[in-house]
Amino acid sequence: MPLILGIESTCDETAAAVVENGTRVLSNVVASQAAIHAVYQGVVPEIAARAHIESLLPVLTEACATAGVRAADVDAIAVAHRPGLIGSLLVGVTAAKTLAWSLGKPLIAVDHVRAHLYSVMLDPVGGLSFPHALRLTPLPSVGLVCSGGHTALYDVQSWRDVTLIGSTIDDAVGEAYDKVATILGLGYPGGPILDTLAAQGDPKAIDFPRSRLGESLDFSFSGLKTSVLYHVRGHKGRERPPGSVNDAERADIAASFQQACIDILVLKLRRALARTNARGVIVGGGVSANHGLRAALAHFDVPAYFPEPAYCTDNAAMIAGLGYVMFAAGQFSDLSLDASPGGEIAMARRET
Ligand code: KG4
Ligand code: ZN
């Protein structure tokens, strides 16, 4: 039963986890920097990198202690090496290389966005929430990663055969959530707050635009975000006075914005299903925790699979999990491994 130690430091969460056999999570430790960045209403890359340096060793120590293993007992070290903030990535990658070299363990380089999809495979720490067999059925599937940094569609034939088929051309959906929450004065990170508020509003109150982008599988959320901004602030010459949005209207804006996001995501999922042989959809990333999205896909055309709540946002269990798949396939990296801020989505964009 291979044990993989996973390390995640792509953005503002310092995380380490020990996962057995790709699905059994022995520990999943996450040190969030959200409180540090809240005052700036967004992640400050330089501060994030420094905070990772401070947190990583305690987080690694706790992950091993909770799992009841020593770092020397694991079979490989898996690290998220792309995409993300370069300063943040470098902390995790350097730590992983150091551990792999000093302990004589294989090093595995994991794509953070693809790992978000794999998070549907992970058991809750300390037990199973639904039968193993159910968890193993979704392939081939369409994979949707919707997070703060990424919105992307994948054709997932197997965990070793995953192809990027669409991505956002501007904002990620989680980024739009956070920016709209800021416009509404809801605090940071705004996704979960907006999600809660949306449940109290009317999703049909305001007809915000949905960017369909022709027949494309790509996404665009910046027009929607700007439309919310104009709705709240008013247009030139017809500005609304600050503070003129009351609680009831704020809830309607949240619900209508959320409905527009869900409509776009569902439309693109249907398009992707029509173009692949997928039998299900797998949703991952921070926005996969969204109650509205989960409700919309509860009775979808095909079964929809979501991660356990703890694995929706950034975590290292998903890195160790996908790392196990690569371990089994002998896909190792050497010590020349480098962090890559853009990753495959940026590469795909450059090619088109
Ligand atoms: O996957 P993640 O932790 O980080 C990235 O890889 O980007 O996603 C964080 C994002 C943030 O934008 C946050 O506001 C959003 O996920 N988020 C949500 C919810 N929970 C987290 N968005 C909508 N509804 C939620 N319940
Ligand atoms: Zn993420």
Side-chain angles (χ1 to χ4, degrees):
M1 292 285 192
L3 283 178
I4 311 291
L5 172 63
I7 299 175
E8 154 66 40
S9 70
T10 57
C11 187
D12 63 340
E13 258 101 25
T14 318
V18 179
V19 175
E20 188 181 53
N21 229 16
T23 58
R24 188 163 170 246
V25 182
L26 302 186
S27 64
N28 180 43
V29 181
V30 182
S32 171
Q33 303 174 8
I36 304 174
H37 300 290
V39 58
Y40 307 102
Q41 307 257 313
V43 178
V44 183
E46 176 65 23
I47 295 174
R50 286 167 189 265
H52 282 304
I53 293 171
E54 284 171 18
S55 302
L56 193 53
L57 272 182
V59 164
L60 275 167
T61 307
E62 189 183 334
C64 288
T66 307
V69 300
R70 295 171 308 149
D73 298 333
V74 305
D75 294 281
I77 315 288
V79 62
H81 76 118
R82 71 177 196 191
L85 301 171
I86 187 64
S88 294
L89 284 165
L90 280 170
V91 178
V93 169
T94 305
K97 281 160 63 168
T98 308
L99 277 173
W101 174 76
S102 58
L103 298 170
K105 304 288 178 186
L107 176 67
I108 301 169
V110 176
D111 181 288
H112 171 92
V113 188
R114 288 171 173 235
H116 267 304
L117 290 178
Y118 188 85
S119 53
V120 294
M121 298 294 289
L122 301 170
D123 298 331
V125 178
L128 290 174
S129 67
F130 48 92
H132 212 264
L134 266 183
R135 235 182 332 96
L136 295 177
T137 48
L139 301 177
S141 270
V142 168
L144 168 67
V145 177
C146 40
S147 72
H150 317 280
T151 305
L153 277 173
Y154 294 85
D155 177 357
V156 188
Q157 291 293 318
S158 74
W159 293 114
R160 290 186 57 197
D161 181 4
V162 179
T163 310
L164 178 71
I165 54 174
S167 63
T168 182
I169 59 169
D170 42 54
D171 292 352
V173 62
E175 187 181 354
Y177 263 87
D178 293 337
K179 287 178 177 165
V180 164
T182 301
I183 293 167
L184 294 175
L186 298 178
Y188 171 87
I193 309 171
L194 213 145
D195 183 6
T196 307
L197 185 62
Q200 298 157 30
D202 175 5
K204 295 201 179 91
I206 306 143
D207 189 20
F208 288 126
R210 279 95 165 132
S211 289
R212 290 174 174 78
L213 299 183
E215 292 304 310
S216 168
L217 293 178
D218 288 339
F219 302 87
S220 167
F221 290 98
S222 75
L224 170 60
K225 172 197 67 188
T226 308
S227 177
V228 175
L229 180 72
Y230 282 132
H231 185 89
V232 171
R233 305 238 171 111
H235 292 268
K236 201 165 168 38
R238 284 182 289 126
E239 285 88 358
R240 296 179 67 173
S244 63
V245 176
N246 64 25
D247 286 350
E249 191 187 353
R250 199 173 284 118
D252 282 348
I253 294 170
S256 301
F257 162 78
Q258 177 154 297
Q259 191 58 53
C261 290
I262 292 169
D263 287 352
I264 296 165
L265 295 174
V266 167
L267 171 84
K268 300 290 171 160
L269 279 174
R270 287 215 163 97
R271 271 186 193 169
L273 280 171
R275 293 177 202 183
T276 61
N277 62 347
R279 293 188 282 115
V281 300
I282 295 167
V283 190
V287 184
S288 69
N290 186 269
H291 291 86
L293 181 60
R294 287 188 178 228
L297 294 179
H299 306 285
F300 194 45
D301 318 3
V302 292
Y305 300 86
F306 287 87
E308 292 290 318
Y311 307 131
C312 289
T313 47
D314 290 348
N315 66 86
M318 66 183 191
I319 306 299
L322 188 53
Y324 165 77
V325 175
M326 297 173 73
F327 175 86
Q331 287 179 281
F332 302 121
S333 292
D334 61 31
L335 293 176
S336 66
L337 174 68
D338 212 350
S340 165
E344 68 173 337
I345 294 176
M347 282 189 278
R349 288 256 151 263
R350 274 200 291 276
E351 279 162 18
T352 51

